[in-house]
Amino acid sequence: MEYLAVAAFGILGVFVLAGIYRRDRAKLRALRGAVFAPAYPLFESYRVTQDSVDFPELRGRYRGHDFHVDALVDMVTFRKLPSLWLRVSLLAPVPYRGTLDIMVRSQNVEFYSPANELDHAIQPPAGWPAGTIVKTDNPDAMPPAALVDPHMSFFAAPKAKEILITPKGVRLVYQTDQGTRAEYLVLRSANFAAPQVTAEVMADLLDRAIALYQDLAGRSAS
């Protein structure tokens, strides 16, 4: 009888732990799923999709332009707190066949960037931030630096990370949050205290992407 009681208690404990696990997963999914919620009113229309407890993706229309927005957890950089990177991509043809990637404060572990796939490193023009890395797949067909110059003010924000221009659109990458120190040091988990993207931050990135795109689309590649 004592054995049966111990076994029953063990089975009960398993069910309790399973219930706690499901509850915590549901809370995490809901928390991450609402990461873009404050910015929903900005969009003329939008659709949000989420896979399990991952951060969701948003596809929406803003000021007549199609956007794809997602958030990625970065735990790659050794001895640094996890980062939550916001990628805001305007989806529209750009009249240049080459891809241009501009990145600041690089750690050489930016898995979310195509920079490592671009073969040609370009010397940054004078006046661009110190340490800027500029890469392209085609130096003869990339957008001219003169068109990008007015938009380098994006990098004045310490959280600004990358400008990407491709024939299919433009993308801005921005650090929207950093992991909580205690949980990362003890549990090595990427939990974020305030992961929601404010409407102000989202609007600024959307507007910057549109301004960049309009300058690029205003001229044809030579």
Side-chain angles (χ1 to χ4, degrees):
M1 290 295 292
E2 183 177 346
Y3 170 79
L4 293 176
V6 171
F9 184 78
I11 293 172
L12 177 62
V14 170
F15 278 104
V16 170
L17 290 176
I20 294 173
Y21 173 78
R22 288 193 298 269
R23 181 200 65 193
D24 290 347
R25 293 272 293 183
K27 288 175 60 178
L28 181 60
R29 175 180 170 83
L31 177 67
R32 291 184 169 184
V35 64
F36 305 131
Y40 290 163
L42 296 173
F43 292 91
E44 300 158 22
S45 61
Y46 65 89
R47 179 173 178 264
V48 177
T49 58
Q50 184 179 15
D51 184 16
S52 185
V53 296
D54 292 340
F55 281 93
E57 299 181 12
L58 182 151
R59 292 184 180 273
R61 193 159 181 82
Y62 173 79
R63 289 179 51 194
H65 296 274
D66 292 324
F67 280 89
H68 176 264
V69 182
D70 62 352
L72 298 176
V73 177
D74 178 5
M75 296 180 62
V76 175
T77 307
F78 185 61
R79 290 184 178 176
K80 292 196 70 173
L81 294 177
S83 288
L84 184 62
W85 296 107
L86 180 66
R87 302 193 301 183
V88 174
S89 303
L90 189 158
L91 309 176
V94 172
Y96 294 92
R97 293 179 291 106
T99 292
L100 178 65
D101 186 89
I102 306 168
M103 183 181 294
V104 299
R105 297 175 283 273
S106 174
Q107 301 291 323
N108 295 317
V109 290
E110 287 83 7
F111 66 91
Y112 48 82
S113 169
N116 288 335
E117 302 170 9
L118 303 176
D119 296 329
H120 303 276
I122 307 297
Q123 181 68 27
W128 285 21
T132 299
I133 295 176
V134 184
K135 301 190 73 175
T136 183
D137 60 346
N138 189 339
D140 297 322
M142 69 178 192
L147 291 182
V148 184
D149 269 335
H151 306 278
M152 292 299 291
S153 60
F154 170 60
F155 293 118
K159 294 183 177 182
K161 183 66 172 180
E162 181 181 36
I163 293 176
L164 175 67
I165 302 169
T166 79
K168 297 181 179 180
V170 302
R171 174 191 292 169
L172 303 181
V173 179
Y174 181 88
Q175 185 189 49
T176 186
D177 200 6
Q178 197 170 50
T180 52
R181 179 176 298 275
E183 294 196 32
Y184 179 67
L185 293 178
V186 175
L187 302 175
R188 284 296 186 266
S189 61
N191 290 324
F192 301 93
Q196 283 196 328
V197 180
T198 67
E200 291 76 15
V201 167
M202 183 70 80
D204 180 66
L205 294 172
L206 295 170
D207 289 337
R208 286 180 180 276
I210 290 174
L212 173 59
Y213 171 74
Q214 288 176 336
D215 282 353
L216 294 168
R219 300 187 186 183
S220 297
S222 58

